[in-house]
Amino acid sequence: MLIGKVVGSVVSTRKCDSLVGNKFMIIEPLDEMKKSGARLVAVDKIGAGIGEVVLVSTGSAARVGTGMSDAPVDAAIVGIIDEGIGLE
Amino acid sequence: MLIGKVVGSVVSTRKCDSLVGNKFMIIEPLDEMKKSGARLVAVDKIGAGIGEVVLVSTGSAARVGTGMSDAPVDAAIVGIIDEGIGLE
Amino acid sequence: MLIGKVVGSVVSTRKCDSLVGNKFMIIEPLDEMKKSGARLVAVDKIGAGIGEVVLVSTGSAARVGTGMSDAPVDAAIVGIIDEGIGLE
Amino acid sequence: MLIGKVVGSVVSTRKCDSLVGNKFMIIEPLDEMKKSGARLVAVDKIGAGIGEVVLVSTGSAARVGTGMSDAPVDAAIVGIIDEGIGLE
Amino acid sequence: MLIGKVVGSVVSTRKCDSLVGNKFMIIEPLDEMKKSGARLVAVDKIGAGIGEVVLVSTGSAARVGTGMSDAPVDAAIVGIIDEGIGLE
């Protein structure tokens, strides 16, 4: 998993049926957790707001582990970070 | 997921049977979402045109989440982006 | 798998139900095993402490291979390294 | 998926039983599709020759989507590219 | 798949039960196949020795394709390379 900040969201009207009803948030990974500086889009399973620091799962975990096995989801917000040791 | 622009398409006559009937689009990820600058090829599940900004799922999500479980697909266009907050 | 040092942990009160009861550790991969310098968050299946050098599995292996098939977990500590040949 | 050129092949006599009978080709991704400059080895499901430009699927798609669910295959040539718009 | 040289091994006494009995080798990918210079740890399914050049599968292929579906394994040595065309 990675930790990042929610920095935005996107709207898509024309999309796969299995995605209807989901919120798509833009995640900026923390500097020490970002791979090649890339932001990503994650489905919000928790109700996170812009500016919150969140835990993001990627790959099949984001789909199968959140009850969306049949949706084309490869990243999901799965927790909101309250505090941490070792975050720079 | 990542957001990118459809910049082209490719034609492949000799291909796996399970891929027949699909359109293969070339995606240029947005600068802030690209990993190591790489473009990728995604199957179009939505009917996107060249120049449109789209939502792309990768990995098993692109295959299982789009009803193509038995096809060798690892990236799919799953939505067209109408608007967004936090896109640079 | 990769080898890294446990450098911290995070607490998340509001999270997916299937994640309740897990410890989330921050892993700093060994220099020669890090991809683009990125740290990651891994669920601890072993009882590792901060400062220990551990074996981390990623992807579906971290979820299916640890008995957490229904949880959104994409990285897990699966062993503690006692010794090694070829670690720089 | 990515597009690359077949630049070579390798022979492995001692290998997992489920890999017997496969051809292992070395793929050089097109410049605009390469991640960190890396070549990869892909099983050839199509009958591609050295010098041909091919479509390559990676991850579980290469295994499940090509009828090799029980083989340790993480990349497969799934098509030969005839032509394209937007290839630089 | 990638091709690399076996450069070492690690020992882990305290590990997930499903990993017991496996050998964990350190792989240095060939220069032209390495992503961001990273070494990785792979379970040895073949009996490779230090210094040998091997074929390594990653992701679910390394787990499902080698009969270890229930173990947290994300990389496996699946062949020993005898010879190759196009290896630099």
Side-chain angles (χ1 to χ4, degrees), chain C residues 9-78:
Chain C
S9 63
V10 291
V11 175
S12 167
T13 307
R14 206 160 116 213
K15 58 180 177 292
C16 288
D17 289 346
S18 53
L19 290 176
V20 171
N22 283 296
K23 278 197 305 173
F24 299 94
M25 311 305 279
I26 302 175
I27 309 292
E28 168 89 25
L30 297 192
D31 277 351
E32 70 262 30
M33 295 208 179
K34 68 175 54 166
K35 299 181 183 168
S36 316
R39 288 182 175 187
L40 70 165
V41 178
V43 166
D44 183 9
K45 303 304 292 178
I46 294 293
I50 290 181
E52 281 189 292
V53 176
V54 294
L55 185 67
V56 176
S57 285
T58 60
S60 61
R63 182 171 52 86
V64 181
T66 59
M68 297 189 289
S69 288
D70 296 331
V73 167
D74 63 14
I77 299 173
V78 298

Side-chain angles (χ1 to χ4, degrees), chain B residues 22-65:
Chain B
N22 283 296
K23 279 197 303 171
F24 300 93
M25 312 304 280
I26 302 176
I27 309 292
E28 169 88 24
L30 297 192
D31 277 352
E32 69 263 30
M33 295 209 179
K34 67 176 55 165
K35 300 182 183 167
S36 315
R39 289 183 175 185
L40 69 166
V41 178
V43 166
D44 183 8
K45 303 304 292 179
I46 295 293
I50 290 181
E52 282 188 291
V53 176
V54 294
L55 185 66
V56 177
S57 285
T58 60
S60 61
R63 182 171 51 86
V64 180

Side-chain angles (χ1 to χ4, degrees), chain D residues 20-62:
Chain D
V20 171
N22 284 295
K23 277 197 305 171
F24 300 94
M25 311 305 279
I26 302 175
I27 308 292
E28 169 87 25
L30 298 192
D31 277 351
E32 69 263 30
M33 296 209 179
K34 68 175 54 166
K35 299 181 184 167
S36 315
R39 289 184 174 184
L40 69 166
V41 178
V43 165
D44 183 9
K45 303 303 293 178
I46 295 293
I50 290 180
E52 281 187 291
V53 176
V54 294
L55 185 66
V56 177
S57 286
T58 60
S60 61

